[in-house]
Amino acid sequence: MYACMIFLLLTQETKMIGVMGAMEVEVELIDDVMKIERIDTIGMKTYKIGSIFDVPCVLAEAGVGKVASTQTAQTFIMGYGVELIIFTGVAGGINPVLEVGDIVISKEVVHHDFGQILPDSFIPFDTIGFPADSYLIRLALDAGEKVELVPVIDEMKIEGRMPEVILGRIATGDQFISSEAKRLWIERVFNADCVEMEGAAVAQVCSAYDVPFLIIRSLSDLANEDADIDFQTFVVHAAENSSRLVEEIIRQLARSEDR
Ligand code: ADE
Protein backbone atom coordinates (compact mmCIF):
# COMPACT_ATOMS: atom_id res chain seq x y z
CA MET A 1 0.00 0.00 0.00
CA TYR A 2 2.73 2.44 1.06
CA ALA A 3 4.96 1.48 -1.91
CA CYS A 4 1.99 1.92 -4.23
CA MET A 5 1.26 5.38 -2.81
CA ILE A 6 4.89 6.47 -3.17
CA PHE A 7 4.89 5.20 -6.79
CA LEU A 8 1.78 7.23 -7.55
CA LEU A 9 3.31 10.30 -5.97
CA LEU A 10 6.55 9.86 -7.90
CA THR A 11 4.76 9.60 -11.24
CA GLN A 12 2.97 12.92 -10.75
CA GLU A 13 3.96 15.34 -13.50
CA THR A 14 3.78 18.66 -11.70
CA LYS A 15 6.78 19.72 -9.68
CA MET A 16 5.95 21.05 -6.26
CA ILE A 17 7.66 23.12 -3.67
CA GLY A 18 7.90 21.79 -0.12
CA VAL A 19 7.18 24.11 2.81
CA MET A 20 7.72 22.94 6.36
CA GLY A 21 7.89 24.16 9.94
CA ALA A 22 8.47 22.29 13.18
CA MET A 23 5.37 23.31 15.14
CA GLU A 24 1.75 24.05 14.28
CA VAL A 25 2.21 27.75 15.11
CA GLU A 26 4.96 27.90 12.47
CA VAL A 27 2.85 26.51 9.62
CA GLU A 28 -0.73 27.56 10.42
CA LEU A 29 -0.55 30.93 8.63
CA ILE A 30 0.86 29.27 5.52
CA ASP A 31 -1.96 26.75 5.82
CA ASP A 32 -4.43 29.68 5.81
CA VAL A 33 -3.28 30.89 2.37
CA MET A 34 -2.99 27.40 0.88
CA LYS A 35 -5.64 25.85 -1.36
CA ILE A 36 -5.61 22.30 0.02
CA GLU A 37 -6.64 19.52 -2.36
CA ARG A 38 -5.58 16.40 -0.49
CA ILE A 39 -4.11 15.35 2.83
CA ASP A 40 -1.74 12.35 3.11
CA THR A 41 -0.44 10.72 6.27
CA ILE A 42 3.04 9.20 5.96
CA GLY A 43 5.15 8.05 8.92
CA MET A 44 2.65 9.55 11.36
CA LYS A 45 3.01 13.00 9.80
CA THR A 46 0.45 14.95 7.81
CA TYR A 47 1.25 16.27 4.32
CA LYS A 48 -1.13 18.83 2.83
CA ILE A 49 -1.08 18.92 -0.96
CA GLY A 50 -2.38 21.84 -2.98
CA SER A 51 -1.19 25.25 -4.08
CA ILE A 52 -0.18 28.64 -2.75
CA PHE A 53 -0.69 31.54 -5.19
CA ASP A 54 -1.01 28.82 -7.88
CA VAL A 55 2.38 27.30 -7.04
CA PRO A 56 1.93 23.55 -6.45
CA CYS A 57 2.92 22.92 -2.87
CA VAL A 58 3.18 20.31 -0.12
CA LEU A 59 3.02 21.66 3.44
CA ALA A 60 4.02 19.74 6.57
CA GLU A 61 4.36 20.25 10.30
CA ALA A 62 7.54 18.24 10.74
CA GLY A 63 7.88 18.12 14.52
CA VAL A 64 10.70 19.50 16.64
CA GLY A 65 14.34 18.46 16.19
CA LYS A 66 16.74 17.11 13.62
CA VAL A 67 15.32 13.59 13.26
CA ALA A 68 11.77 14.83 12.71
CA SER A 69 12.82 17.39 10.09
CA THR A 70 15.07 14.84 8.35
CA GLN A 71 12.09 12.51 8.02
CA THR A 72 9.94 15.25 6.49
CA ALA A 73 12.64 16.54 4.13
CA GLN A 74 13.28 12.99 2.90
CA THR A 75 9.55 12.41 2.36
CA PHE A 76 9.22 15.73 0.50
CA ILE A 77 12.00 14.65 -1.87
CA MET A 78 11.35 10.90 -2.28
CA GLY A 79 7.57 10.96 -1.93
CA TYR A 80 6.63 14.20 -3.66
CA GLY A 81 9.65 15.00 -5.85
CA VAL A 82 9.75 18.58 -4.59
CA GLU A 83 11.91 21.00 -6.59
CA LEU A 84 12.87 23.05 -3.53
CA ILE A 85 12.28 23.18 0.22
CA ILE A 86 11.60 26.24 2.35
CA PHE A 87 11.59 25.97 6.15
CA THR A 88 9.66 28.60 8.11
CA GLY A 89 9.92 29.06 11.85
CA VAL A 90 11.34 30.69 14.95
CA ALA A 91 14.84 30.76 16.45
CA GLY A 92 16.90 32.00 19.34
CA GLY A 93 19.05 35.05 18.64
CA ILE A 94 22.84 34.57 18.71
CA ASN A 95 24.07 37.76 17.04
CA PRO A 96 23.73 40.40 19.80
CA VAL A 97 22.59 43.12 17.37
CA LEU A 98 19.43 41.15 16.59
CA GLU A 99 16.19 41.50 18.57
CA VAL A 100 13.07 39.45 19.00
CA GLY A 101 11.00 39.54 15.80
CA ASP A 102 14.01 40.05 13.50
CA ILE A 103 14.44 37.61 10.63
CA VAL A 104 17.45 35.61 9.48
CA ILE A 105 17.52 34.31 5.90
CA SER A 106 19.93 31.38 5.71
CA LYS A 107 23.20 31.94 3.88
CA GLU A 108 24.61 28.78 5.46
CA VAL A 109 23.30 26.35 8.04
CA VAL A 110 25.61 24.39 10.36
CA HIS A 111 25.20 21.66 13.01
CA HIS A 112 26.47 23.00 16.37
CA ASP A 113 26.10 19.72 18.31
CA PHE A 114 27.88 17.37 15.88
CA GLY A 115 31.41 16.58 17.02
CA GLN A 116 33.76 14.99 19.52
CA ILE A 117 33.55 15.30 23.29
CA LEU A 118 36.95 15.50 25.00
CA PRO A 119 37.39 15.61 28.81
CA ASP A 120 37.44 19.43 28.84
CA SER A 121 36.16 20.48 25.45
CA PHE A 122 33.98 19.81 22.43
CA ILE A 123 35.45 19.73 18.91
CA PRO A 124 32.82 20.36 16.19
CA PHE A 125 33.20 18.15 13.11
CA ASP A 126 32.16 21.01 10.82
CA THR A 127 32.01 24.74 11.30
CA ILE A 128 31.33 25.69 7.67
CA GLY A 129 27.89 24.19 7.09
CA PHE A 130 25.61 23.83 4.08
CA PRO A 131 25.06 26.77 1.70
CA ALA A 132 21.47 27.72 0.92
CA ASP A 133 20.42 28.17 -2.71
CA SER A 134 21.61 31.49 -4.14
CA TYR A 135 18.49 32.05 -6.29
CA LEU A 136 16.19 31.49 -3.31
CA ILE A 137 18.37 33.81 -1.22
CA ARG A 138 17.95 36.54 -3.84
CA LEU A 139 14.18 36.01 -3.91
CA ALA A 140 14.08 36.14 -0.10
CA LEU A 141 16.11 39.36 0.08
CA ASP A 142 13.77 40.95 -2.49
CA ALA A 143 10.77 39.68 -0.56
CA GLY A 144 12.29 41.11 2.62
CA GLU A 145 12.22 44.59 1.05
CA LYS A 146 8.54 44.30 0.17
CA VAL A 147 7.02 42.35 3.05
CA GLU A 148 5.10 44.06 5.80
CA LEU A 149 6.34 42.64 9.11
CA VAL A 150 4.77 43.07 12.53
CA PRO A 151 6.77 45.10 15.08
CA VAL A 152 7.27 43.36 18.40
CA ILE A 153 5.01 44.50 21.17
CA ASP A 154 6.57 43.67 24.53
CA GLU A 155 4.84 42.68 27.76
CA MET A 156 4.39 46.37 28.63
CA LYS A 157 2.44 46.74 25.35
CA ILE A 158 5.03 49.24 24.12
CA GLU A 159 5.32 49.10 20.38
CA GLY A 160 8.81 48.04 19.35
CA ARG A 161 10.96 48.82 16.32
CA MET A 162 10.32 47.40 12.86
CA PRO A 163 11.98 44.00 12.48
CA GLU A 164 15.28 43.76 10.59
CA VAL A 165 15.75 41.14 7.87
CA ILE A 166 19.32 39.91 7.50
CA LEU A 167 21.17 37.27 5.50
CA GLY A 168 23.11 35.19 7.99
CA ARG A 169 24.37 31.94 9.45
CA ILE A 170 22.05 29.57 11.25
CA ALA A 171 23.28 27.00 13.80
CA THR A 172 21.23 23.86 14.45
CA GLY A 173 21.25 21.34 17.31
CA ASP A 174 18.92 19.01 19.16
CA GLN A 175 18.93 21.45 22.08
CA PHE A 176 16.81 24.44 23.09
CA ILE A 177 19.45 27.00 24.12
CA SER A 178 18.65 28.98 27.29
CA SER A 179 22.18 29.87 28.36
CA GLU A 180 24.16 33.05 27.77
CA ALA A 181 27.42 31.06 28.05
CA LYS A 182 26.26 28.64 25.34
CA ARG A 183 24.98 31.57 23.21
CA LEU A 184 28.44 33.13 23.38
CA TRP A 185 30.07 29.80 22.48
CA ILE A 186 27.80 29.36 19.40
CA GLU A 187 28.57 32.94 18.36
CA ARG A 188 32.33 32.45 18.77
CA VAL A 189 32.72 28.96 17.27
CA PHE A 190 30.17 29.11 14.45
CA ASN A 191 29.81 32.85 13.86
CA ALA A 192 26.06 32.17 13.85
CA ASP A 193 23.28 34.76 13.87
CA CYS A 194 20.59 32.51 15.31
CA VAL A 195 20.08 29.01 16.67
CA GLU A 196 17.30 26.51 16.06
CA MET A 197 16.65 22.77 16.01
CA GLU A 198 15.97 21.67 12.42
CA GLY A 199 17.65 23.72 9.67
CA ALA A 200 20.96 21.91 9.21
CA ALA A 201 19.19 18.54 9.08
CA VAL A 202 16.96 19.78 6.24
CA ALA A 203 20.01 21.34 4.58
CA GLN A 204 21.97 18.08 4.82
CA VAL A 205 19.16 16.03 3.24
CA CYS A 206 18.66 18.64 0.50
CA SER A 207 22.40 18.75 -0.22
CA ALA A 208 22.53 14.95 -0.52
CA TYR A 209 19.80 15.05 -3.21
CA ASP A 210 20.87 18.33 -4.82
CA VAL A 211 17.58 19.98 -3.90
CA PRO A 212 17.72 23.78 -3.35
CA PHE A 213 16.71 24.88 0.13
CA LEU A 214 16.18 28.01 2.20
CA ILE A 215 15.66 28.40 5.94
CA ILE A 216 13.73 31.44 7.22
CA ARG A 217 13.76 32.13 10.96
CA SER A 218 12.33 34.93 13.07
CA LEU A 219 13.62 35.36 16.62
CA SER A 220 11.29 34.32 19.44
CA ASP A 221 14.00 34.78 22.12
CA LEU A 222 17.69 35.57 22.55
CA ALA A 223 18.89 32.06 23.60
CA ASN A 224 19.80 33.35 27.08
CA GLU A 225 18.47 32.55 30.54
CA ASP A 226 15.16 34.32 29.66
CA ALA A 227 14.70 32.21 26.51
CA ASP A 228 11.99 29.97 27.95
CA ILE A 229 9.73 32.80 28.98
CA ASP A 230 10.52 34.95 25.93
CA PHE A 231 9.74 31.99 23.67
CA GLN A 232 6.31 31.61 25.25
CA THR A 233 5.66 35.36 24.95
CA PHE A 234 6.87 35.87 21.39
CA VAL A 235 6.59 32.56 19.53
CA VAL A 236 3.29 33.41 17.82
CA HIS A 237 4.55 36.82 16.83
CA ALA A 238 7.88 35.54 15.48
CA ALA A 239 6.17 32.69 13.63
CA GLU A 240 3.91 35.25 11.97
CA ASN A 241 6.85 37.33 10.73
CA SER A 242 8.58 34.27 9.30
CA SER A 243 5.34 33.14 7.62
CA ARG A 244 4.76 36.59 6.12
CA LEU A 245 8.22 36.54 4.54
CA VAL A 246 7.77 32.98 3.24
CA GLU A 247 4.39 33.95 1.75
CA GLU A 248 6.06 36.85 -0.05
CA ILE A 249 8.83 34.53 -1.32
CA ILE A 250 6.20 32.16 -2.73
CA ARG A 251 4.37 35.11 -4.31
CA GLN A 252 7.65 36.01 -6.04
CA LEU A 253 8.20 32.38 -7.05
CA ALA A 254 4.72 32.38 -8.60
CA ARG A 255 5.72 35.39 -10.72
CA SER A 256 9.15 34.07 -11.56
CA GLU A 257 9.75 32.89 -15.10
CA ASP A 258 12.53 30.55 -14.02
CA ARG A 259 10.14 27.98 -12.59
N1 ADE B 1 14.00 27.98 18.68
C1 ADE B 1 13.54 29.13 19.22
N2 ADE B 1 14.33 29.52 20.24
C2 ADE B 1 15.32 28.61 20.34
C3 ADE B 1 16.43 28.46 21.20
N3 ADE B 1 16.67 29.34 22.16
N4 ADE B 1 17.23 27.38 21.03
C4 ADE B 1 16.96 26.49 20.04
N5 ADE B 1 15.93 26.57 19.21
C5 ADE B 1 15.11 27.63 19.35
Side-chain angles (χ1 to χ4, degrees):
M1 172 65 188
Y2 178 76
C4 179
M5 194 166 70
I6 292 290
F7 175 74
L8 276 174
L9 294 170
L10 281 172
T11 53
Q12 280 178 345
E13 290 273 302
T14 326
K15 283 267 187 182
M16 314 205 189
I17 67 164
V19 180
M20 66 197 266
M23 300 173 294
E24 187 179 358
V25 66
E26 293 174 311
V27 291
E28 65 193 358
L29 294 177
I30 305 290
D31 195 314
D32 288 348
V33 294
M34 184 170 180
K35 239 185 255 164
I36 298 168
E37 285 158 18
R38 193 179 85 233
I39 298 179
D40 298 336
T41 303
I42 302 173
M44 291 169 65
K45 293 186 199 301
T46 299
Y47 294 83
K48 295 180 177 171
I49 324 300
S51 59
I52 301 174
F53 312 131
D54 290 332
V55 178
C57 180
V58 50
L59 175 69
E61 176 190 332
V64 174
K66 298 205 284 189
V67 175
S69 57
T70 298
Q71 186 190 342
T72 296
Q74 180 90 13
T75 303
F76 272 0
I77 295 167
M78 299 305 287
Y80 296 96
V82 297
E83 63 180 318
L84 60 91
I85 293 180
I86 302 175
F87 193 106
T88 178
V90 302
I94 295 293
N95 181 338
V97 309
L98 297 179
E99 293 188 17
V100 166
D102 288 351
I103 291 185
V104 180
I105 296 167
S106 62
K107 186 165 192 293
E108 300 99 15
V109 198
V110 63
H111 294 283
H112 70 71
D113 59 351
F114 182 51
Q116 182 179 5
I117 305 265
L118 294 173
D120 298 314
S121 62
F122 173 76
I123 317 279
F125 283 160
D126 175 30
T127 53
I128 296 168
F130 302 92
D133 181 69
S134 56
Y135 173 68
L136 289 176
I137 288 174
R138 237 182 310 128
L139 274 191
L141 289 170
D142 282 356
E145 307 257 301
K146 297 196 178 87
V147 70
E148 202 176 309
L149 298 171
V150 192
V152 168
I153 299 175
D154 67 19
E155 297 102 302
M156 310 294 285
K157 305 279 178 250
I158 298 166
E159 194 128 322
R161 79 201 220 294
M162 280 311 291
E164 301 271 340
V165 180
I166 69 151
L167 180 63
R169 280 173 62 76
I170 298 178
T172 303
D174 274 319
Q175 303 161 345
F176 185 90
I177 308 299
S178 318
S179 155
E180 177 62 9
K182 187 78 176 185
R183 184 199 69 73
L184 276 166
W185 179 81
I186 293 172
E187 186 186 15
R188 180 170 54 79
V189 174
F190 299 96
N191 193 25
D193 295 291
C194 70
V195 65
E196 38 84 305
M197 302 177 68
E198 295 83 21
V202 173
Q204 188 168 345
V205 174
C206 286
S207 301
Y209 290 97
D210 211 13
V211 171
F213 76 88
L214 188 69
I215 315 292
I216 302 295
R217 295 285 184 171
S218 175
L219 305 191
S220 54
D221 61 88
L222 301 179
N224 56 19
E225 277 72 356
D226 296 329
D228 262 344
I229 190 88
D230 285 347
F231 178 87
Q232 286 169 43
T233 309
F234 297 116
V235 63
V236 172
H237 192 111
E240 174 165 359
N241 273 343
S242 181
S243 298
R244 284 187 181 208
L245 181 60
V246 168
E247 270 179 49
E248 187 57 40
I249 293 168
I250 298 171
R251 213 174 268 121
Q252 304 228 359
L253 265 176
R255 284 194 209 116
S256 134
E257 288 171 10
D258 300 351
R259 287 197 75 246

